[in-house]
């Protein structure tokens, strides 16, 4: 029984493109109309027709404690009663920053943003600002949010400058993005031969956005080695793996470490929060300490 959801979807389609606020929610790849959710409770979801689901999605990762965890719910309600936003600093930000910084060995400072997309976008700008270089390397199958320079697909060659994967993204903005094959060491080496202007590699160290593909130890070590050799920075996009693959994310279980780490999803437990973090030397380039605007 999906009558109410079908009706709700029709209504939504009139005022929201495709009836959804993220394409994957439209169910195009699985068929049917999406169930409209009434509420979540622990491991379960209930739709507006009263169907109950065992929820393996958990909001695409953030809800590692399930829906409506009592401690989180209480903390949110207590905090909200003091106001939602001030446009001025609060002590809570420092508290959260301290928790994150204490958890990881290789980061000293963290800057909070509102989404994973903003975290990766800002991390790349920071890497470019620090190195004074322009090109970035990303891997096919890794997702780093919806900013222009990351909406790229591989061209025809093996190691290649990317082409826009969406209308609305000028080729001028993707020409600095090199697209490589995940776990392909030769491919990566070729990229560094083709460009002497590489600011950073951005990678999901455990790739969750193409099924689940772990990076080989050798591949990550090569990423590290090539970055060090050519004066580029290594960005670990831990928006999905952070606080999830382990308490210290993928960084906690891998030998290779990144220079900049990006967070999202779990860090907000369902609320719109992201962050990026690095050593105090790297973060010192960020405005207002340094010149890189964010
Ligand atoms: C979801 C995701 C992002 C984008 O995060 P949003 O909060 O949706 O903008 C970036 N990187 C990875 C690895 C992700 O899984």
């Amino acid at each position: 029984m999906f009558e109410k959801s079908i009706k709700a979807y029709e209504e939504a389609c009139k005022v929201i493109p495709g009836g959804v606020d993220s394409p994957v929610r439209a169910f195009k790849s699985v068929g049917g109309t999406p169930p409209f959710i009434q509420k979540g409770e622990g491991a379960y979801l209930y739709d507006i027709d009263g169907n109950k689901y065992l929820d393996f999605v958990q909001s695409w990762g953030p809800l590692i404690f399930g829906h409506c965890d009592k401690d989180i719910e209480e903390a949110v309600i207590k905090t909200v009663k003091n106001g939602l936003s001030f446009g001025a600093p609060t002590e809570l930000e420092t508290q959260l920053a301290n928790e994150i910084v204490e958890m990881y060995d290789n980061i000293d400072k963290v800057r909070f943003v509102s989404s994973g997309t903003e975290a990766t976008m800002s991390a790349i700008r920071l890497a470019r600002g620090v190195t004074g270089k322009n090109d970035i390397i990303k891997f096919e199958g890794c997702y780093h949010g919806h900013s222009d320079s990351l909406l790229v697909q591989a061209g025809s060659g093996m190691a290649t400058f990317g082409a826009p994967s969406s209308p609305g993204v000028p080729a001028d903005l993707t020409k600095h993005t090199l697209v490589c094959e995940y776990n392909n060491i030769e491919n990566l080496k070729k990229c560094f031969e083709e460009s002497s202007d590489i600011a950073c590699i951005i990678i999901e160290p455990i790739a969750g956005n193409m099924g689940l593909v772990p990076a080989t130890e050798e591949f990550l070590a090569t990423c590290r080695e090539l970055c060090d050799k050519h004066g580029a920075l290594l960005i670990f996009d831990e928006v999905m793996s952070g606080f999830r693959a382990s308490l210290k994310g993928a960084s906690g279980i891998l030998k290779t470490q990144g220079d900049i780490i990006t967070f999202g999803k779990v860090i907000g437990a369902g609320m719109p929060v992201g962050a990026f973090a690095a050593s105090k030397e790297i973060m010192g380039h960020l405005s207002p300490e340094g010149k890189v605007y964010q």
Side-chain angles (χ1 to χ4, degrees), residues 116-118 120-121 124 137-139 142-147 150 202-204 209 235 237 239 262:
T117 294
E118 280 177 71
T120 55
M121 202 174 81
I124 287 169
I137 294 176
K138 89 171 276 283
F139 299 101
C142 286
Y143 177 69
H144 305 291
H146 60 268
S147 70
L150 292 169
I202 184 164
I203 183 170
E204 286 182 78
N209 281 296
I235 302 174
D237 182 356
V239 168
T262 59

Side-chain angles (χ1 to χ4, degrees), residues 44 47 92 114 137 139 169 190 204 223 235 257 264 283 287:
Y44 299 96
D47 70 19
L92 289 174
S114 306
I137 294 176
F139 299 101
V169 178
K190 195 160 162 249
E204 286 182 78
C223 287
I235 302 174
Q257 299 294 304
M283 292 304 267
S287 181

Side-chain angles (χ1 to χ4, degrees), residues 87-109:
T90 61
E91 289 176 308
L92 289 174
E93 290 158 75
T94 316
Q95 260 180 43
L96 185 56
N98 267 321
E99 279 201 37
I100 294 166
V101 163
E102 276 162 21
M103 214 174 273
Y104 282 74
D105 303 328
N106 58 333
I107 62 180
D108 304 312
K109 289 187 178 181

